[in-house]
């Protein structure tokens, strides 16, 4: 008897650029899911989460981290946090796209909000926390907190040897014994492992009144504000992308790296930093920020560590005047309209943060069209008075989960089912993290 739920797909049926004819034989099987099964699939495969920041004003944030291949570990992360700054609650949301491994992105997602909170607590007015603060000051503070956090990744390892100038005093055997302390709890080993990997970061900060928004960008994640510009015409949405991609596709970033390393034609090779890394800004990626001795003497001595140092040697041969990857975030500030100050009235307004996997999923339709179609549905389904749904509403009530579904095909259940259940032995879409925050 033929299973009527079994369907067949070709590479062109899968969003993104991961499936090719070489992944054959095609067609490959997938299972047609009911609507309830689709939402259950998102619950299992997308790690949906929601946080209510302010029930009365409808301020909330929803997030997903999607990878449908059951055996694959996603290297994306998201964060939804409130920061208590002298009794007043700021919000911090973000997405992080790790590369090479997941230790560093996990560390960043957990600890970066803590560092930002500490900087705000230290430098904002303790005696009068409601005092007006220049947006430029917050932008600078935001940037400095991120740089300090990144410098500590390598700095914590160098402290084990008394600083960067003292490394030559240690033999390779002594370094090996210091950093491979797994039998003593592994604190040194964990610190050194963080230096092996890196992550992009896209982090949004809003003040307690939701009058100001700051977005810090490092790498090739994306952010956009999606604003209903007319309270009468729900078809009319304005999609604004408010960050630039920091990678080899950005000519300005390539020029910046060359400008910072004059006389080094191989600081960028084939539009990759030192011929190896696509992002031009990020957190971690210590081999691109420290002199080659750090990698050769410390990271090469990790056990387990690099399985093959030959590719790294090609990269390190070009490492003459580090750093080559910048930890200086591009900070953008946006004044948010107060209630009644803009034409959208009480219509919902959203900030959407995504890793680059979202752009891949939207490639066929285009991100702007996906976002507009999603926004139209939200304009009907969500009003300002009802936007703060309970946090336990499930994936079908999660704004980011519904946006993910729109990118995969929306109400086309065959298209969504195909992505959720394709019979492949490797990941067939890129890791995709999405945060949707109501403003």
């Amino acid at each position: 008897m033929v299973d009527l739920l079994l369907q067949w797909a070709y590479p062109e049926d899968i969003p993104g650029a991961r499936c090719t004819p070489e992944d054959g034989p095609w067609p490959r099987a997938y299972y047609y899911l009911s609507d309830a099964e689709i939402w259950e699939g998102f619950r299992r495969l997308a790690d949906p989460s929601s946080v209510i920041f302010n029930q009365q004003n409808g301020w909330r944030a929803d997030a997903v981290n999607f990878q449908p291949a059951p055996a694959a570990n996603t290297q994306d992360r998201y964060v939804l946090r409130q920061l208590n700054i002298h009794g007043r609650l700021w919000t911090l949301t973000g997405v992080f796209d790790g590369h090479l491994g997941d230790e560093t992105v996990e560390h960043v997602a957990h600890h970066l909000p803590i560092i930002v909170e500490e900087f705000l607590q230290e430098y904002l007015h303790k005696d009068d926390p409601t005092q007006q603060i220049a947006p430029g000051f917050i932008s600078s503070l935001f940037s400095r907190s991120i740089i300090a956090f990144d410098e500590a990744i390598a700095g914590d390892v160098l402290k084990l040897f008394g600083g960067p100038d003292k490394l030559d005093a240690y033999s390779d055997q002594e370094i090996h014994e210091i950093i491979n302390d797994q039998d003593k709890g592994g604190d040194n080993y964990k610190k050194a492992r963080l230096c092996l990997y890196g992550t992009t970061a896209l982090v949004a900060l809003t003040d307690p009144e939701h009058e100001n928004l700051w977005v810090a960008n490092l790498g090739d994640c994306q952010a956009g504000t999606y604003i209903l510009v007319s309270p009468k015409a729900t078809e009319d949405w304005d999609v604004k992308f408010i960050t630039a991609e920091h990678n080899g596709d950005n000519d300005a970033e390539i020029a910046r790296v060359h400008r910072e390393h004059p006389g080094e034609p191989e600081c960028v090779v084939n539009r990759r930093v030192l011929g190896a890394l696509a992002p031009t800004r990020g957190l971690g990626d210590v081999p691109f920020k420290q002199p080659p001795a750090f990698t050769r003497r410390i990271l090469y001595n990790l056990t387990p560590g690099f399985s093959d140092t030959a590719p790294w040697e090609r990269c390190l041969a070009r490492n003459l005047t580090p750093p080559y990857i910048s930890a200086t975030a591009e900070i953008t500030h946006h004044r948010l309209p107060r209630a009644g100050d803009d034409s959208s009235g009480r219509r919902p307004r959203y900030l959407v943060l995504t890793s680059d996997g979202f752009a891949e999923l939207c490639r066929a339709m285009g991100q702007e069209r996906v976002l507009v179609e999603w926004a139209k549905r939200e304009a009907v389904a969500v009003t300002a008075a009802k936007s703060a749904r309970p946090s336990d509403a499930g994936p079908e009530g999660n704004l980011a989960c519904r946006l993910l579904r729109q990118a995969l095909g929306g109400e086309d259940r065959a298209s969504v089912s195909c992505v959720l259940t394709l019979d492949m032995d490797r990941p067939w879409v890129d890791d995709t993290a999405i945060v949707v925050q109501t403003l």
Side-chain angles (χ1 to χ4, degrees):
M1 181 176 178
V2 178
D3 186 348
L4 297 179
L5 295 179
L6 189 65
Q7 307 290 323
W8 301 95
Y10 291 88
E12 58 268 23
D13 298 322
I14 317 301
R18 291 295 178 98
C19 290
T20 67
E22 287 71 31
D23 293 319
W26 293 97
R28 284 185 173 272
Y30 73 92
Y31 287 91
Y32 190 83
L33 304 177
S34 68
D35 203 57
E37 289 171 331
I38 285 175
W39 290 120
E40 178 57 31
F42 283 133
R43 185 192 300 277
R44 290 185 296 104
L45 301 170
D47 185 29
S49 181
S50 300
V51 174
I52 304 298
F53 293 137
N54 185 301
Q55 181 80 35
Q56 181 178 359
N57 292 322
W59 297 337
R60 67 176 291 160
D62 296 352
V64 293
N65 186 8
F66 179 62
Q67 175 48 256
N73 291 323
T74 174
Q75 293 183 3
D76 283 7
R77 297 292 187 275
Y78 64 75
V79 62
L80 312 174
R81 284 281 304 274
Q82 284 190 301
L83 311 180
N84 190 330
I85 311 302
H86 309 308
R88 305 179 75 233
L89 296 179
W90 295 58
T91 64
L92 185 145
T93 58
V95 296
F96 308 92
D97 186 351
H99 44 262
L100 303 180
D102 58 7
E103 277 108 328
T104 304
V105 69
E106 183 72 22
H107 173 78
V108 171
H110 177 76
H111 289 283
L112 182 60
I114 297 172
I115 300 302
V116 174
E117 185 174 47
E118 289 177 352
F119 265 70
L120 290 172
Q121 288 173 340
E122 180 176 357
Y123 290 100
L124 296 190
H125 301 286
K126 298 179 182 179
D127 297 332
D128 184 9
T130 64
Q131 182 174 337
Q132 287 288 335
I133 301 168
F137 177 76
I138 300 297
S139 295
S140 175
L141 198 62
F142 202 6
S143 178
R144 286 158 49 201
S145 68
I146 293 171
I147 291 172
F149 171 81
D150 183 70
E151 289 177 345
I153 294 176
D156 286 347
V157 176
L158 291 171
K159 286 178 183 177
L160 301 175
F161 307 98
D165 299 333
K166 304 295 178 62
L167 200 58
D168 289 342
Y170 293 82
S171 68
D172 281 349
Q173 181 60 36
E174 289 171 328
I175 292 175
H176 185 276
E177 291 177 357
I178 290 172
I179 61 177
N180 293 292
D181 65 338
Q182 292 92 321
D183 59 340
K184 302 175 183 178
D187 287 346
N188 296 347
Y189 178 75
K190 293 173 185 176
K191 291 176 182 177
R193 288 279 294 181
L194 293 178
C195 299
L196 291 173
Y197 316 117
T199 181
T200 65
L202 181 60
V203 186
L205 182 69
T206 53
D207 60 8
E209 294 76 24
H210 274 223
E211 295 177 355
N212 294 279
L213 166 70
W214 294 266
V215 178
N217 184 37
L218 286 157
D220 50 10
C221 293
Q222 295 179 317
T225 53
Y226 311 107
I227 302 169
L228 183 66
V229 297
S230 170
K232 296 180 180 179
T234 58
E235 301 291 321
D236 195 4
W237 285 80
D238 183 23
V239 177
K240 295 180 180 177
F241 292 93
I242 59 179
T243 60
E245 295 183 355
H246 301 141
N247 59 24
D249 293 331
N250 185 332
D251 290 339
E253 281 293 290
I254 296 296
R256 178 186 61 78
V257 177
H258 277 291
R259 188 168 58 251
E260 293 174 358
H261 301 278
E264 297 182 39
E266 291 190 320
C267 63
V268 178
V269 178
N270 295 327
R271 305 188 79 84
R272 289 179 171 265
V273 179
L274 299 183
L277 200 61
T280 55
R281 308 192 198 195
L283 301 176
D285 295 316
V286 173
F288 297 85
K289 295 175 179 175
Q290 290 289 326
F294 186 102
T295 301
R296 290 179 175 136
R297 305 224 48 218
I298 298 177
L299 301 185
Y300 281 8
N301 274 306
L302 276 173
T303 306
F306 292 129
S307 58
D308 181 10
T309 61
W312 285 102
E313 280 301 311
R314 289 193 291 272
C315 175
L316 295 178
R318 298 164 174 150
N319 183 340
L320 305 177
T321 57
Y324 292 86
I325 300 294
S326 174
T328 301
E330 184 177 20
I331 309 289
T332 56
H333 168 257
H334 306 269
R335 182 75 69 178
L336 300 176
R338 299 182 182 182
D341 285 354
D342 68 314
S343 60
S344 66
R346 290 179 54 81
R347 297 287 185 175
R349 183 180 296 103
Y350 306 103
L351 171 72
V352 178
L353 311 175
T354 72
S355 64
D356 63 346
F358 181 73
E360 277 202 17
L361 295 179
C362 298
R363 182 170 297 185
M365 185 180 293
Q367 287 188 81
E368 185 166 347
R369 183 179 170 190
V370 168
L371 290 160
V372 167
E373 290 302 313
W374 166 81
K376 289 178 182 178
R377 292 181 180 275
E378 293 306 320
V380 174
V382 183
T383 66
K386 296 180 180 179
S387 62
R389 294 191 180 97
S391 59
D392 61 351
E396 62 272 29
N398 183 296
L399 296 170
C401 207
R402 295 208 298 273
L403 175 56
L404 174 63
R405 177 166 180 168
Q406 186 67 40
L408 299 183
E411 297 307 305
D412 183 346
R413 284 196 288 146
S415 178
V416 179
S417 299
C418 181
V419 176
L420 291 178
T421 68
L422 188 70
D423 179 21
M424 285 273 286
D425 56 5
R426 67 175 184 84
W428 52 92
V429 298
D430 193 10
D431 299 339
T432 302
I434 304 171
V435 168
V436 178
Q437 181 178 353
T438 59
L439 300 174

